Amino acid sequence: MVAILRGVLPPDRDFISLHEPRFAGNEWAYVKGCLDSGWVSSVGAFVDRFEGDLAAYTGVKRAVAMVNGTAALHICLMLAGVEAGDEVLVPALTFIATANAVAYCGAVPHFVDSEERTLGIDPARLGGYLTEAAELRRDGSHNRATGRRIKAVVPMHTFGHPVDLDPLLDVCQRFRIELIEDAAESIGTLYKGRHTGNWGRLSALSFNGNKIITTGGGGAILTNDEDLASRARHLTTTAKIPHRWEFAHDRVGYNYRLPNINAALGCAQLEQLPGFLARKRRLAERYAAAFEGIAGLRFVSEPEFARSNYWLNTLLLDEEMATARDRLLALTNDAGIMTRPAWTLMHRLPMFSGCPRMDLSIAESLERRIINIPSSAELAG
Ligand SMILES: *Cc1c(COP(=O)(O)O)cnc(C)c1O
């Protein structure tokens, strides 16, 4: 395994991390512009420009920049009408932020299984499960066991590979459930030619330091609904009523807006995104070729309906090889090549262990078998 990875990765490096940012464009110039202007906080020209650029790139009507992806998810759920006591369908195989955002609303995550092809929610199995577990009432679907309303589903596009959204949208329509995309890992990823994050009523992006493009910390909400976008902006600007000098607020709001200095980084990073994506695709192709025909595992390639950003490249061990996972992780990390297993499934964590869930056998199998390997754009040279 170490030898195969070495064959793909650049030589003469003591340590290769999983994912590193790259600042080779206008970052210095824009940040300097920001400092020179004095506009460093959550108002400024770079915030407006970043929002415009993001909307144009993803094809949505409006983007609203946020302080991080978790905050973006929180506001998406609130604006979709998720209330305290509701349930929200969330994959068990995800980063903690997806489930935390549900909990911030006083709602309960309801964990659903994944499919091996996309590593994300399996729409067919979810539909079958809801047919048994949910009951449609006047105000939407309710969990028969708990009585709670099932208000929304949050598919997450794992490591940049999109969930099969068309059949998932059918399930949402059938059970009157809102679709909110956790597109934190999938900027640059297309599902059937349209950008991920442009399918749900609202979607969340993340620009954390380890993501495809970074603003240091940051995120955004995407939506095609002008009214929701305006409400997102208001709610995350402490619900302050715009006025030249008065400080009046019309509800409990949040201080979730992205500072201008971070947006300056974002504008520069977004200019380089097509280049990052081309490099990441080249790296993924090299990995795919290098692991072709190797017994016991396979490289995860994009599903046939997708153009993935290959945010984090992924190896999937055969079930019989799963017991070797920790040894492979140790060997590679000891050799200075950073690798990592999947996240601990959400329902195993103490704060979410009592939450409702469907059979999670595929997610449990994936948890045992996933290994992420170095994925920085610059590794493709
Ligand atoms: C990174 C990430 C987020 C958001 O993370 P922040 O660090 O808050 O920007 C949300 N969901 C998933 C799946 C992520 O990978």
Side-chain angles (χ1 to χ4, degrees), residues 68-70 73 94-95 97-98 156 182 184-185 206 208 211 218:
N68 58 54
T70 311
L73 273 172
T94 188
F95 175 59
T98 325
M156 193 279 283
D182 182 343
E185 305 182 355
S206 168
N208 192 26
K211 294 297 192 328

Side-chain angles (χ1 to χ4, degrees), residues 84-293:
D86 285 339
E87 290 182 7
V88 176
L89 303 166
V90 166
L93 179 65
T94 188
F95 175 59
I96 189 71
T98 325
N100 276 346
V102 173
Y104 297 166
C105 297
V108 178
H110 182 151
F111 297 116
V112 304
D113 207 10
S114 298
E115 62 173 323
E116 185 161 327
R117 182 178 55 140
T118 67
L119 310 176
I121 289 181
D122 182 334
R125 286 199 49 232
L126 179 61
Y129 169 67
L130 290 176
T131 302
E132 300 292 316
E135 177 193 328
L136 249 180
R137 295 190 204 153
R138 206 164 21 84
D139 64 339
S141 280
H142 285 250
N143 181 338
R144 283 181 205 273
T146 64
R148 289 188 290 244
R149 184 174 64 157
I150 301 174
K151 181 65 186 171
V153 60
V154 188
M156 193 279 283
H157 305 301
T158 314
F159 308 137
H161 298 298
V163 165
D164 195 356
L165 286 161
D166 270 335
L168 185 61
L169 280 160
D170 288 343
V171 171
C172 288
Q173 206 161 33
R174 190 143 55 93
F175 292 93
R176 298 219 301 276
I177 291 172
E178 297 281 1
L179 184 85
I180 309 291
E181 292 174 75
D182 182 343
E185 305 182 355
S186 71
I187 193 167
T189 292
L190 306 180
Y191 173 75
K192 297 187 179 172
R194 197 200 318 171
H195 205 284
T196 49
N198 194 355
W199 295 81
R201 182 135 178 251
L202 298 136
S203 307
L205 301 178
S206 168
F207 310 115
N208 192 26
N210 62 343
K211 294 297 192 328
I212 303 90
I213 59 168
T214 185
T215 58
I221 291 174
L222 303 181
T223 183
N224 286 305
D225 184 324
E226 297 276 358
D227 177 55
L228 285 178
S230 301
R231 285 166 60 200
R233 181 190 275 255
H234 181 65
L235 190 55
T236 56
T237 318
T238 65
K240 182 179 180 300
I241 300 163
H243 190 280
R244 283 170 66 197
W245 50 77
E246 270 172 19
F247 273 83
H249 309 257
D250 58 8
R251 58 175 293 178
V252 174
Y254 297 85
N255 180 13
Y256 276 0
R257 290 284 275 160
L258 186 73
N260 200 42
I261 195 163
N262 299 84
L265 277 177
C267 291
Q269 287 270 288
L270 203 50
E271 290 170 351
Q272 297 163 81
L273 180 55
F276 292 165
L277 292 171
R279 283 196 160 96
K280 288 171 80 64
R281 175 161 291 271
R282 224 158 49 227
L283 179 63
E285 281 164 2
R286 284 184 203 157
Y287 277 135
F291 284 102
E292 176 88 58

Side-chain angles (χ1 to χ4, degrees), residues 20-70:
E20 265 172 25
R22 181 184 168 94
F23 303 110
N26 285 317
E27 285 86 357
W28 281 105
Y30 293 171
V31 170
K32 182 168 188 312
C34 202
L35 297 178
D36 289 345
S37 77
W39 292 97
V40 294
S41 247
S42 50
V43 177
F46 283 115
V47 175
D48 295 341
R49 176 174 158 193
F50 188 44
E51 291 179 337
D53 291 353
L54 277 174
Y57 182 81
T58 56
V60 298
K61 279 217 183 88
R62 293 275 301 274
V64 185
M66 295 282 135
V67 74
N68 58 54
T70 311

